[in-house]
Amino acid sequence: MSQVRSEIDRIDAALVDLIAERYGYVDRAWQLKMTTREGAVVQWRIQQVIDRVKGRASEKGMPAEMVEMVGAQWRNMIGWFVQYEEEKLRQAQEAHEKPGANGGT
């Protein structure tokens, strides 16, 4: 049983590492979105990610209830990331609009 628990702990650590890596890309995404008209909420992309994750879970043989739970967890995580992007974009816009920003008066 200790070996099984050790493997579960290893997987949990890897999941956290991958989510942290994902966070780094989300952090870069909001910066790139500053130069486009694309906002933080890109509904078609959110649905595409959810569908891919659920498809992957299904391909891996997870029970249907687990596939739905994984999709819900991803939607929750994406919701947090979207809020993060919105806040960063708002802060950047406010900084840009301040008098004296970017060399203005």
Side-chain angles (χ1 to χ4, degrees):
M1 188 64 192
S2 65
Q3 184 178 5
V4 169
R5 287 182 177 142
S6 179
E7 287 302 304
I8 289 171
D9 291 346
R10 179 188 62 76
I11 292 166
D12 288 346
L15 288 169
V16 170
D17 292 348
L18 289 170
I19 292 169
E21 183 178 353
R22 189 183 201 285
Y23 168 79
Y25 283 102
V26 170
D27 198 44
R28 180 66 180 129
W30 76 261
Q31 295 170 38
L32 294 171
K33 288 178 181 181
M34 287 177 30
T35 62
T36 69
R37 293 183 178 260
E38 188 173 48
V41 179
V42 181
Q43 199 58 49
W44 68 266
R45 175 63 179 149
I46 292 169
Q47 192 59 52
Q48 181 185 55
V49 171
I50 300 298
D51 291 346
R52 281 186 182 160
V53 166
K54 289 173 66 175
R56 177 78 172 175
S58 184
E59 288 169 10
K60 290 294 186 176
M62 292 179 159
E65 298 85 6
M66 183 65 114
V67 170
E68 290 304 315
M69 188 273 306
V70 167
Q73 292 297 54
W74 242 260
R75 188 171 296 282
N76 185 44
M77 180 176 59
I78 289 170
W80 187 93
F81 284 132
V82 165
Q83 287 180 331
Y84 173 79
E85 281 189 47
E86 287 176 336
E87 180 63 17
K88 289 296 192 175
L89 288 167
R90 183 190 61 76
Q91 289 173 354
Q93 182 65 33
E94 287 176 359
H96 180 74
E97 292 172 355
K98 283 185 182 176
N102 295 327
T105 55

